[in-house]
Amino acid sequence: MKKVLFFTACCLCMAMGSFAQVPALERVEPMFWWVGMQNPNVQLIVHGNDIAARKVELNYPGVKLVAVHKVENPNYLFVDLRVSSGTTPGTFPIKFLKAGEKPLIYSYALKARDHSPNRAQGVTTKDLMYLIMPDRFANGDLANDSFNNMREQGIHLDSMFSRHGGDLQGIINHLDYLKDLGITSIWLTPAIENDEPHASYHGYAVTDHYKIDARYGTNALYKQFVDKCHAMGMKVVMDLVHNHAGTEGYTILDMPMKSWVHQWPQYTRSNFKYEAVMDPHASAIDRKLMLDGWFDHRMADMNQNNPYVQNFLTQNHIWWIEYAGVDGLRLDTYPYNDPAYMAKWALDVKAEFPKMTIFGEVLTPLPYTQAYFTQGNTINRGFDTHLPAITDGAVKDAIYEALNGHDGWDNGVTHLYTTIAQDFMYQDVTRNTIFLDNHDMSRALSMVGEDINKYKSAMAMLMTLRGVPQMYYGDEILMKNYSNPDGLVREDFPGGWNGDKNNKFTADGRNDKENDAFNYVRKLANYRKNTPVLHNGKMMQYLPEYGIYVYFRYDAKKTVMVVYNSNDKEVTTPTARYDERIKDVKTAKNVITGESLDLSKLTVGPKSTLVLELGDK
């Protein structure tokens, strides 16, 4: 394996010594742009055989050719344009001229921005996100399963590392299922092209930043998917990868300059240690390994100190938001990126899309580690990241400790209480994404030993705690497995493929246990969707006593009480201790069953949770 890794790194270095043979004008990116952006500047990356030997000319009212940059690789030009705010949308030729040769001409388009209110609207505490791996959800178009001009051929349903054929059309075909479940926002793992020779289905090794992977569909279909979601009252979160790119992408195979990616004498991985970024006593080499080391041998580490790389990434992300109208952005491997660039990136994106929701992947069991990366300099970092939110792995781990651990001074359900008690470290903790699992982690059902009471308790906490909840596809039908390897938690959704024995998108295709779980999740999700106090209400929690953990979500109009029994046996508990929030209310409605309960004392089953809406005084 080490020989293979070393060979990959060497190939990248050699690519700078013998420049690739490409068409005379292979591409211009961004392919088109818009009039009326807050930042009037756009930098085109032009790729073509010996394109640097040509002169650039254009003539269009309101568009100024500011500069043309030549770099180490003569197959590139970086062309700076300034588009005045009053420029009329339209097309104009960009000419690449060389004496004695026929001009190369690219017809460039400037479009009008779309200011429709349901575009780039943000994902908020009102939403419930549903995470889908497009390759593993449903195959809606058999014609795009494989392409002869792509490196990985065919679909192989019996291999966890191969393509399975799921696509955008498959997701579109099941939007009614998701809406019925109570989902209000869909997060897809990257649908951008990953033309790698092996295990490319996951989407995190991008080879063409401006193209939806053909095996999922087209750019136009992705936009249709977003539009369809908006028409149905749902939103879309786009998954972005700043830190690395697939080694088969054109900017890696034929790099503009050696400094496009982080170069090492031999293949060097990241040390994957957040502490190397956080530690005020850290060595320079540890910090460099964390930020500049490669994530994987097929994922070239982008050099975000390079201004050309910065423009390339930022403009690409702004392009996708404006083109497709996505509502939120999830930032992959956030701590591995250059902090200064990411802060600037966030400001640039928010300048164009003020309502855009952004949350970074920060996977840690420690609240202070998460808070370190969020905006506001709340824990004395001395630097504002301008990152509004993170994936709240600390709460995820604390929920499982509450469900599986034995209660003690710092253990069991008390650990969940103390984790929530540290919310003071965030500028606004309600922006954090809370979750039970995702595509990299063991599934929720397996994490609780397939105990249905624990599973339901986990779902109840997910739907009622502060933050923006996120589910992983199939959790609602009791899909299970441990992430060892991660392909085991990326199985196909049953019913998404022709020939599947059971169609679990329908009640008839699910067994009794699966329908019970589905109905429980649907009931909670739709209750949450229609109950504003669970979106914006304050939270009050009580120190656990005798294994009972109680918290409230409340506002001036409504109060929801959540009671979790962490004991292995049924417990009846008096409620006088909670009078500060119960006040004079005598009864409560069980949100799941609809029954009315006497609030003077409550009986809760083992490892079970009651979600109660307080009634009249």
Side-chain angles (χ1 to χ4, degrees):
M1 176 63 80
K2 288 183 179 178
K3 290 182 179 178
V4 173
L5 302 183
F6 179 71
F7 176 75
T8 303
C10 287
C11 284
L12 292 180
C13 294
M14 288 190 292
M16 288 302 305
S18 53
F19 302 113
Q21 293 299 307
V22 295
L25 183 57
E26 195 261 346
R27 71 177 71 204
V28 175
E29 293 176 340
M31 306 88 81
F32 53 84
W33 200 244
W34 292 270
V35 171
M37 304 299 275
Q38 292 298 310
N39 181 358
N41 302 308
V42 60
Q43 184 174 84
L44 308 183
I45 179 171
V46 183
H47 190 223
N49 187 54
D50 199 27
I51 195 72
R54 294 178 178 267
K55 180 182 177 182
V56 181
E57 284 188 0
L58 61 87
N59 183 15
Y60 190 76
V63 179
K64 181 180 180 181
L65 177 60
V66 177
V68 177
H69 305 277
K70 298 180 181 181
V71 293
E72 294 170 45
N73 187 339
N75 292 342
Y76 284 90
L77 286 174
F78 290 83
V79 180
D80 294 349
L81 305 182
R82 182 173 295 122
V83 182
S84 300
S85 58
T87 302
T88 302
T91 59
F92 58 92
I94 301 178
K95 299 178 181 179
F96 301 90
L97 308 173
K98 186 176 182 181
E101 295 192 16
K102 184 179 179 181
L104 302 176
I105 299 176
Y106 184 87
S107 182
Y108 202 79
L110 287 174
K111 300 173 181 281
R113 294 190 70 178
D114 186 341
H115 295 288
S116 302
N118 65 344
R119 302 179 90 250
Q121 58 194 310
V123 175
T124 71
T125 52
K126 297 179 181 180
D127 292 301
L128 170 59
M129 282 190 286
Y130 189 87
L131 168 59
I132 295 174
M133 296 199 82
D135 185 62
R136 303 298 166 90
F137 192 64
N139 189 347
D141 183 357
L142 301 181
N144 66 14
D145 286 351
S146 185
F147 291 87
N148 292 333
N149 63 345
M150 302 193 80
R151 291 175 175 85
E152 189 173 6
Q153 294 293 307
I155 60 172
H156 306 280
L157 299 181
D158 58 346
S159 169
M160 71 175 71
F161 299 109
S162 298
R163 291 268 175 174
H164 287 193
D167 50 34
L168 290 172
Q169 189 60 53
I171 300 169
I172 292 170
N173 292 348
H174 293 96
L175 290 179
D176 286 337
Y177 167 86
L178 297 177
K179 188 171 179 64
D180 174 62
L181 182 59
I183 301 304
T184 64
S185 181
I186 300 172
W187 158 24
L188 304 184
T189 54
I192 305 299
E193 181 189 273
N194 275 226
D195 190 13
E196 294 286 334
H198 176 65
S200 65
Y201 72 93
H202 54 73
Y204 292 97
V206 177
T207 56
D208 191 329
H209 284 76
Y210 282 91
K211 184 181 180 183
I212 293 295
D213 196 296
R215 291 159 292 195
Y216 295 152
T218 62
N219 287 11
L221 184 63
Y222 182 77
K223 188 177 186 305
Q224 290 172 30
F225 159 68
V226 176
D227 290 344
K228 178 72 171 176
C229 287
H230 288 167
M232 295 178 66
M234 292 186 284
K235 302 172 184 177
V236 175
V237 174
M238 192 170 198
D239 203 332
L240 302 180
V241 188
H242 293 76
N243 180 67
H244 46 265
T247 53
E248 299 296 336
Y250 83 95
T251 65
I252 308 301
L253 291 174
D254 189 35
M255 283 190 293
M257 59 205 77
K258 289 188 180 74
S259 62
W260 189 257
V261 302
H262 288 123
Q263 301 277 359
W264 297 82
Q266 59 183 9
Y267 175 78
T268 302
R269 275 186 186 270
S270 170
N271 55 26
F272 305 108
K273 283 290 189 180
Y274 297 178
E275 290 78 6
V277 176
M278 302 167 58
D279 182 5
H281 318 292
S283 67
I285 185 58
D286 286 344
R287 180 181 173 86
K288 181 175 175 60
L289 282 168
M290 168 62 189
L291 295 176
D292 298 355
W294 285 30
F295 207 78
D296 185 78
H297 72 285
R298 282 286 177 183
M299 297 176 177
D301 201 76
M302 302 295 285
N303 179 13
Q304 295 159 354
N305 292 312
N306 183 326
Y308 297 109
V309 172
Q310 292 182 7
N311 286 333
F312 176 72
L313 293 173
T314 301
Q315 290 178 167
N316 174 255
H317 301 153
I318 289 173
W319 187 92
W320 275 110
I321 300 168
E322 184 62 36
Y323 171 75
V326 297
D327 305 291
L329 304 174
R330 182 262 190 184
L331 313 184
D332 182 64
T333 54
Y334 183 84
Y336 300 87
N337 294 289
D338 178 76
Y341 164 64
M342 293 305 293
K344 181 180 184 301
W345 173 90
L347 291 173
D348 289 343
V349 170
K350 294 287 279 185
E352 302 294 350
F353 309 99
K355 295 181 180 179
M356 179 58 53
T357 302
I358 302 168
F359 62 102
E361 179 195 32
V362 181
L363 300 179
T364 172
L366 305 171
Y368 58 80
T369 301
Q370 296 179 162
Y372 180 86
F373 293 99
T374 57
Q375 70 183 39
N377 190 30
T378 57
I379 58 170
N380 198 35
R381 181 177 183 177
F383 172 80
D384 193 339
T385 65
H386 298 287
L387 177 68
I390 45 81
T391 53
D392 205 331
V395 164
K396 183 262 298 181
D397 286 357
I399 289 174
Y400 286 128
E401 176 62 21
L403 295 169
N404 298 326
H406 297 286
D407 197 34
W409 187 257
D410 296 312
N411 304 326
V413 71
T414 301
H415 180 65
L416 176 56
Y417 170 88
T418 56
T419 298
I420 298 292
Q422 296 173 69
D423 282 354
F424 62 86
M425 289 187 288
Y426 304 96
Q427 189 180 76
D428 182 357
V429 73
T430 67
R431 294 190 290 237
N432 285 357
T433 295
I434 61 173
F435 64 106
L436 301 172
D437 52 6
N438 63 27
H439 57 292
D440 292 323
M441 300 176 178
S442 298
R443 281 191 176 269
L445 184 66
S446 295
M447 286 295 293
V448 296
E450 300 184 32
D451 184 313
I452 296 300
N453 287 341
K454 291 183 181 180
Y455 163 87
K456 289 182 176 180
S457 286
M459 288 294 175
M461 293 176 193
L462 179 70
M463 303 288 183
T464 57
L465 284 169
R466 88 297 184 270
V468 183
Q470 170 250 303
M471 290 179 57
Y472 185 39
Y473 79 93
D475 281 349
E476 73 279 10
I477 58 165
L478 301 179
M479 288 180 70
K480 61 185 180 181
N481 245 323
Y482 293 99
S483 182
N484 186 27
D486 50 25
L488 292 173
V489 299
R490 301 170 177 179
E491 293 182 303
D492 301 338
F493 194 109
W497 276 255
N498 291 340
D500 281 354
K501 271 187 180 180
N502 298 302
N503 179 8
K504 297 189 186 298
F505 287 108
T506 67
D508 289 344
R510 300 187 288 263
N511 62 36
D512 290 344
K513 284 185 177 180
E514 291 164 347
N515 271 318
D516 178 55
F518 177 88
N519 291 333
Y520 182 86
V521 172
R522 179 173 60 176
K523 184 80 173 183
L524 267 178
N526 281 286
Y527 176 76
R528 186 186 189 283
K529 180 167 66 174
N530 297 308
T531 306
V533 71
L534 293 178
H535 310 156
N536 303 314
K538 296 180 180 179
M539 179 173 172
M540 180 180 288
Q541 62 173 349
Y542 285 76
L543 277 164
E545 282 190 351
Y546 310 109
I548 300 295
Y549 174 49
V550 174
Y551 61 90
F552 293 83
R553 300 296 304 279
Y554 65 99
D555 59 20
K557 296 181 178 179
K558 185 167 289 188
T559 298
V560 172
M561 179 181 185
V562 182
V563 185
Y564 167 58
N565 173 21
S566 69
N567 297 284
D568 293 323
K569 60 182 180 180
E570 181 179 278
V571 172
T572 298
T573 183
T575 60
R577 180 167 178 256
Y578 315 113
D579 280 351
E580 182 181 357
R581 284 268 52 89
I582 293 177
K583 301 185 184 301
D584 296 325
V585 175
K586 304 299 183 184
T587 62
K589 182 182 73 173
N590 185 318
V591 167
I592 299 299
T593 65
E595 66 179 319
S596 180
L597 300 177
D598 178 0
L599 264 183
S600 62
K601 60 181 179 180
L602 294 169
T603 299
V604 192
K607 299 293 183 180
S608 296
T609 298
L610 294 177
V611 180
L612 307 173
E613 182 178 298
L614 272 56
D616 298 328
K617 295 181 180 180

